[in-house]
């Protein structure tokens, strides 16, 4: 069975060299623009499920209180500093700190630290668009995990498998991307079905929720890939499933739920289902306003585009202007440029309709 064999099989694949242009599209916050707005790859919307080796993150609460930085304490401190550097966008500094953490982890033969450091290094490389390097580092992390007692359906393995699928999608290795996404989704669905009736004392509700969120993240990522290769009905199906999970686990007002509503509206609109798309994006815009969503201007951009496709040009112009105002206030240069282009398109359509 492909799903069972994929994690070990994928580790045997060698990293290949790809043009820098393909990497740039995967930098943190990068977007792609579709018919009614953006379909951005790998936006960080889903809470990261905790599992397997990622549980080492809990060690960050055990920092040394004195000036001594030897052994495991030194590794933890370096990892903490690296994490803060990532949060500040100082990825080069984070990379240096992680290399030092890896050296000390190997010296002390701290297996958990080695695994976690490789995982962080892979994430940093991924954020920098260094896809070949990220691929190697994710595989290194997975090798360490699978060499121990970690099972192939562990959430840590599945999350890294999802990252690899995303890398292959960006590199246009479609067979590997599809196999990766299908492995993650099918494995998680089987795992959730098995866990469903387990009592709280056997498996805490939080762990069940984390697994469901990881499935939601996988469905979301797969949907954006399918949208990018113009498989719209399949993308719609994945978005619908992801949205339902987000509603069930996190609630309708959660930031991720709002964005997924808007994304589902985008794919419906692209198929010509303008009325259904409008109902989703209208609700998303209402929730974005109520919750002061950080991406409200992007939701409004999608709402305006759908209004334009419904030929409600006057309302579309008003919404575009509000979206532009918010984008300018937030300093989102890419969105400002895109909305200005959409306003120009709107003007052409209005003129052509007269």
């Amino acid at each position: 069975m492909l799903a069972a064999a994929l994690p070990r099989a994928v580790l045997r694949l060698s990293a290949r060299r790809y043009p820098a242009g393909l990497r740039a599209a995967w930098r943190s916050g990068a977007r792609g623009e579709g018919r009614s707005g953006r379909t951005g790859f790998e936006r960080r919307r889903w809470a990261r499920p905790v599992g397997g080796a990622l549980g080492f993150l809990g060690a960050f609460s055990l920092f040394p209180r004195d000036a001594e930085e030897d052994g495991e304490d030194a590794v933890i401190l370096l990892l903490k500093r690296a994490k803060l550097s990532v949060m500040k966008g100082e990825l080069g500094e984070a990379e240096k700190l992680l290399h030092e953490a890896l050296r000390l982890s190997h010296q002390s033969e701290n297996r958990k630290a080695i695994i976690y450091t490789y995982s962080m290094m892979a994430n940093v490389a991924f954020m920098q668009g260094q896809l070949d390097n990220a691929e190697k580092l994710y595989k290194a992390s997975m090798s360490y995990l699978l060499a121990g007692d970690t099972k192939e359906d562990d959430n840590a393995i599945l999350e890294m498998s999802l990252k690899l699928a995303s890398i292959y999608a960006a590199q246009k290795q479609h067979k590997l991307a599809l196999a990766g996404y299908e492995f993650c989704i099918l494995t998680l669905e089987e795992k959730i079905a098995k866990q469903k009736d387990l009592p709280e004392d056997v498996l805490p509700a939080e762990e069940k929720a984390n697994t469901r969120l990881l499935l939601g993240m996988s469905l979301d990522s797969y949907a954006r890939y399918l949208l990018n290769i113009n498989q719209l009905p399949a993308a719609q199906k994945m978005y619908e499933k992801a949205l339902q999970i987000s509603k069930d686990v996190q609630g309708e007002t959660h930031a991720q739920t709002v964005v997924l509503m808007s994304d589902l509206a985008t794919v419906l609109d692209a198929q010509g289902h303008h009325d259904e798309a409008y109902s989703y994006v209208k609700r998303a815009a209402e929730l974005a306003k109520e919750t002061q969503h950080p991406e409200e201007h992007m939701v409004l951009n999608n709402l305006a585009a759908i209004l334009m496709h419904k030929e409600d040009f006057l309302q579309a112009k008003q919404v575009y202007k509000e979206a532009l105002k918010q984008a300018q206030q937030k300093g989102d240069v890419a969105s400002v440029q895109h909305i200005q282009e959409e306003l120009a398109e709107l003007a052409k359509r209005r003129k052509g309709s007269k």
Side-chain angles (χ1 to χ4, degrees), residues 43 170 222 279-280:
R43 290 175 307 224
Y222 189 28
S279 67
Y280 277 106

Side-chain angles (χ1 to χ4, degrees), residues 71-84:
E72 185 174 295
D73 285 346
V75 174
I76 294 172
L77 184 58
L78 285 166
L79 291 172
K80 175 66 173 180
R81 290 170 59 194
K83 185 181 179 184
L84 291 175

Side-chain angles (χ1 to χ4, degrees), residues 242-307:
L243 175 59
Q244 189 60 55
I245 290 172
S246 189
K247 281 183 177 180
D248 291 346
V249 179
Q250 304 180 119
E252 188 185 41
T253 60
H254 193 278
Q256 292 165 2
T257 305
V258 173
V259 174
L260 283 166
M261 281 184 192
S262 182
D263 285 350
L264 176 56
T266 296
V267 77
L268 286 166
D269 182 61
Q271 295 175 86
H273 306 316
H274 303 312
D275 291 337
E276 190 176 0
Y278 176 71
S279 67
Y280 277 106
V281 77
K282 182 174 180 289
R283 182 57 178 157
E286 290 169 352
L287 291 169
K289 183 177 182 179
E290 289 174 15
T291 60
Q292 296 184 323
H293 197 290
E295 294 187 359
E296 183 183 357
H297 61 295
M298 296 178 181
V299 176
L300 288 173
N301 174 73
N302 281 354
L303 172 58
I306 291 169
L307 286 167

Side-chain angles (χ1 to χ4, degrees), residues 84-350:
L84 291 175
S85 293
V86 170
M87 292 172 67
K88 292 190 291 185
E90 299 171 353
L91 301 182
E93 179 63 20
E95 188 175 3
K96 292 177 184 177
L97 293 166
L98 289 170
H99 277 289
E100 178 62 15
L102 185 62
R103 184 183 68 80
L104 293 179
S105 298
H106 277 293
Q107 281 183 356
S108 60
E109 298 182 351
N110 186 332
R111 187 170 174 275
K112 286 186 178 180
I114 291 170
I115 294 169
Y116 185 73
T117 304
Y118 270 131
S119 179
M120 276 195 72
M121 290 173 73
N123 288 335
V124 169
F126 191 89
M127 292 171 69
Q128 291 175 312
Q130 298 172 1
L131 300 189
D132 293 344
N133 192 30
E135 179 188 1
K136 292 175 184 176
L137 290 164
Y138 283 128
K139 288 178 179 178
S141 300
M142 292 170 72
S143 292
Y144 270 97
L145 284 168
L146 292 170
D149 57 0
T150 303
K151 297 180 180 179
E152 291 185 344
D153 68 348
D154 187 276
N155 282 2
I157 294 292
L158 293 170
E159 187 175 358
M160 284 186 272
S161 296
L162 177 60
K163 291 285 181 64
L164 286 172
S166 300
I167 288 171
Y168 297 137
Q171 295 171 334
K172 302 190 185 303
Q173 295 193 72
H174 296 301
K175 288 184 179 180
L176 285 175
L178 287 170
Y181 282 126
E182 288 175 4
F183 163 73
C184 292
I185 291 168
L186 290 173
T187 304
L188 283 162
E189 287 177 340
E190 291 174 4
K191 185 175 181 179
I192 289 167
K194 291 177 183 177
Q195 293 178 345
K196 184 178 180 181
D197 297 323
L198 292 177
E200 176 76 14
D201 59 340
V202 175
L203 186 69
E206 184 179 359
E207 287 192 35
K208 290 182 182 179
N210 281 336
T211 302
R212 291 195 69 194
L213 286 174
L214 182 54
L215 174 59
M217 185 165 64
S218 300
L219 290 164
D220 178 26
S221 182
Y222 189 28
R224 282 180 278 121
Y225 169 65
L226 290 168
L227 183 58
N228 188 52
I229 60 175
N230 205 37
Q231 293 189 19
L232 302 182
Q236 177 186 334
K237 185 178 179 181
M238 297 302 115
Y239 273 133
E240 288 170 344
K241 289 182 177 181
L243 175 59
Q244 189 60 55
I245 290 172
S246 189
K247 281 183 177 180
D248 291 346
V249 179
Q250 304 180 119
E252 188 185 41
T253 60
H254 193 278
Q256 292 165 2
T257 305
V258 173
V259 174
L260 283 166
M261 281 184 192
S262 182
D263 285 350
L264 176 56
T266 296
V267 77
L268 286 166
D269 182 61
Q271 295 175 86
H273 306 316
H274 303 312
D275 291 337
E276 190 176 0
Y278 176 71
S279 67
Y280 277 106
V281 77
K282 182 174 180 289
R283 182 57 178 157
E286 290 169 352
L287 291 169
K289 183 177 182 179
E290 289 174 15
T291 60
Q292 296 184 323
H293 197 290
E295 294 187 359
E296 183 183 357
H297 61 295
M298 296 178 181
V299 176
L300 288 173
N301 174 73
N302 281 354
L303 172 58
I306 291 169
L307 286 167
M308 178 171 64
H309 299 152
K310 285 168 61 66
E311 298 187 349
D312 188 345
F313 298 131
L314 182 61
Q315 184 67 18
K317 184 177 181 180
Q318 292 176 352
V319 177
Y320 269 134
K321 285 188 173 181
E322 176 59 26
L324 180 61
K325 177 183 175 182
Q326 291 190 20
Q328 290 171 333
Q329 289 173 343
K330 293 175 182 177
D332 187 344
V333 177
S335 288
V336 168
Q337 181 180 348
H338 176 69
I339 295 168
Q340 288 173 338
E341 291 170 357
E342 290 284 282
L343 279 167
E345 174 64 21
L346 176 63
K348 289 180 183 178
R349 293 198 182 202
R350 290 185 68 183

